[in-house]
Structures are given as structure tokens and as C-alpha cells.
């Protein structure tokens, strides 16, 4: 069963109302994550911050009656998150970020579907026998981090991969996006202002010029 816009909006409101800390990107990707996970199978997110998108994934599964666990890959280290906050944030924000791990656990405590994998996304930290349906990429935004995550995700996901924060402020993410479009062999199925979703290339007969 597909989640209705009304259900999705209520879920987002619930997440934002109860969250300790703040959602990445002011929560603009929560609805996209709810849409992404509407299928059976395990979901992985690379980069979790305080857990908002992980909880959004649970809501997407529960509301639609879909099965699967939510694996959150994140080292939970102060120097791997929210560069703008570490450099220019106020003291309260920095205190929250220093306690990211505990805050994440508090935010997801009531959702047994969520499992934290406290590690870097490269090398890939999950056993190969865990089947993956969908992956949401919101990890390290700089250098080869985004394109490495994209390649790891394409190699493992069966149904869809979503890349977040495709904005001019993050040129390395845009480089990963261009690789996914031109070289991954996957099909760009959905593009919003900030995210892009890719699926395996559909098995359809090409339309040829006559």
C-alpha cells in the first residue's frame, strides 16, 4: 500500500516535533526517504546525524505495510558531521553534536527496526549476506566520499539508491551525481531540488528511429 500525502505529512510533523537535535537539511529530505522505502526489503542510510531520516524510513515501512530493517551507517564522531555547525554554530549546537551518539539512540529507542552500524561507510561495514533493497546516501560530503558511497550503493542495492544534498555548495556530491547519471548503468527515476533517485535500468524495448 502506498503512503498518502496526508500520512506522509503527519509522519514528518511527528518526527520534527519529537526529535532531539535537528534534522539534516532542515528536514527537507524526510518525505523523499518515506517515498524511497516503500517496498519490501532492508534499507540502509549512509550518514544518520540525530536519526531523523532513519525514523522517516521506519514510518515509510510501517505506513505502507512493508517489511525490512533500517541499517544506519555512521561513525558518530564529532569531526565527521555538520561542518557548518562545527565552524560557525553556537555552543548549544556544538554540545548537541558532541553527544550525537547518545541523542541518536534516544531518538530511535522506540523503533526496533533501526540498527546502528557505528563505522565509516568505506570500507563497506555490513556483511555481504545482508540483502539490501534501498540506500539513502547522506554521508561525508567532500573529496571522494560521495562518489565512493555512490559506487558502493549501486553495487549492493537491488531496487533504488537516493543521493542527497545535490546543491552547488557540495561540488563533490554533484560529481557523484554526474557519475550515477553517466556511468553507473542505473536510470535516473526522480529528481527534486535536493535529491536524486536511481533504479536499475528498466527492461523495456528501446524506441528506435524509423
Amino acid at each position: 500500500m502506498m503512503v498518502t500525502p496526508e500520512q506522509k505529512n503527519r509522519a514528518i510533523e511527528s518526527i520534527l516535533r519529537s526529535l532531539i537535535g535537528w534534522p539534516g537539511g532542515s528536514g527537507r529530505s524526510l518525505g523523499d526517504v518515506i517515498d524511497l522505502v516503500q517496498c519490501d526489503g532492508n534499507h540502509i542510510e549512509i550518514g544518520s546525524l540525530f536519526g531523523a531520516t532513519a525514523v522517516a524510513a521506519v514510518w515509510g515501512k510501517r505506513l505502507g505495510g512493508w517489511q525490512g530493517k533500517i541499517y544506519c551507517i555512521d561513525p558518530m564522531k564529532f569531526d565527521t558531521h555538520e561542518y557548518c555547525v562545527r565552524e560557525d554554530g553556537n555552543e548549544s549546537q556544538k554540545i548537541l553534536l558532541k553527544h550525537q551518539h547518545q541523542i541518536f539512540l534516544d531518538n530511535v529507542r522506540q523503533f526496533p527496526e533501526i540498527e546502528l552500524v557505528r563505522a565509516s561507510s568505506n570500507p563497506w561495514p555490513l556483511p555481504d549476506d545482508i540483502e539490501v533493497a534501498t540506500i539513502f546516501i547522506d554521508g561525508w560530503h567532500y573529496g571522494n566520499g560521495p562518489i565512493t558511497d555512490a559506487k558502493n550503493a549501486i553495487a549492493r542495492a537491488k531496487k533504488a539508491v537516493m543521493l542527497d544534498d545535490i546543491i552547488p555548495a557540495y561540488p563533490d556530491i554533484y560529481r557523484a551525481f554526474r557519475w550515477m547519471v553517466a556511468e553507473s548503468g542505473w536510470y535516473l527515476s526522480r529528481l527534486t531540488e535536493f535529491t536524486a533517485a536511481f533504479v536499475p535500468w528498466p527492461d523495456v524495448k528501446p524506441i528506435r528511429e524509423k
Side-chain angles (χ1 to χ4, degrees), residues 25-210:
S26 301
R28 65 192 177 214
S29 300
L30 297 178
D32 294 332
V33 171
I34 291 174
D35 291 339
L36 174 67
V37 303
Q38 291 184 44
C39 61
D40 284 326
N42 296 318
H43 171 71
I44 292 175
E45 64 171 29
I46 301 174
S48 296
L49 192 56
F50 297 118
T53 48
V55 175
V58 173
W59 274 107
K61 295 283 192 188
R62 288 185 179 182
L63 289 171
W66 306 105
Q67 301 299 310
K69 292 190 63 173
I70 314 299
Y71 293 93
C72 301
I73 300 175
D74 194 309
M76 297 279 159
K77 293 181 179 178
F78 177 75
D79 59 357
T80 61
H81 273 290
E82 301 291 87
Y83 176 81
C84 55
V85 172
R86 287 187 281 118
E87 292 296 311
D88 301 317
N90 59 47
E91 288 306 309
S92 295
Q93 290 174 316
K94 292 177 182 179
I95 289 171
L96 287 172
L97 198 57
K98 288 177 181 177
H99 295 279
Q100 176 203 2
H101 179 223
Q102 184 58 54
I103 293 172
F104 172 90
L105 294 178
D106 290 339
N107 281 330
V108 307
R109 194 174 305 280
Q110 62 178 310
F111 302 101
E113 299 97 322
I114 295 175
E115 179 176 328
L116 173 63
V117 180
R118 194 173 181 185
S120 171
S121 58
N122 189 50
W124 190 251
L126 288 170
D128 289 336
D129 61 355
I130 294 178
E131 293 192 4
V132 182
T134 55
I135 298 180
F136 178 68
I137 303 173
D138 190 21
W140 188 242
H141 286 22
Y142 310 101
N144 288 326
I147 197 166
T148 299
D149 285 341
K151 290 179 178 180
N152 280 334
I154 291 294
R156 289 167 172 83
K158 303 298 184 185
K159 296 183 179 178
V161 171
M162 181 174 285
L163 183 64
D164 194 24
D165 284 335
I166 308 169
I167 57 176
Y170 299 120
D172 294 317
I173 293 179
Y174 187 71
R175 182 164 60 96
F177 167 73
R178 291 180 61 187
W179 176 85
M180 294 180 78
V181 170
E183 300 182 46
S184 71
W186 280 39
Y187 175 72
L188 175 60
S189 64
R190 176 176 173 179
L191 182 64
T192 71
E193 187 176 359
F194 301 102
T195 66
F198 294 81
V199 299
W201 197 271
D203 184 18
V204 296
K205 185 178 180 180
I207 300 174
R208 303 294 186 186
E209 181 181 4
K210 294 182 179 180

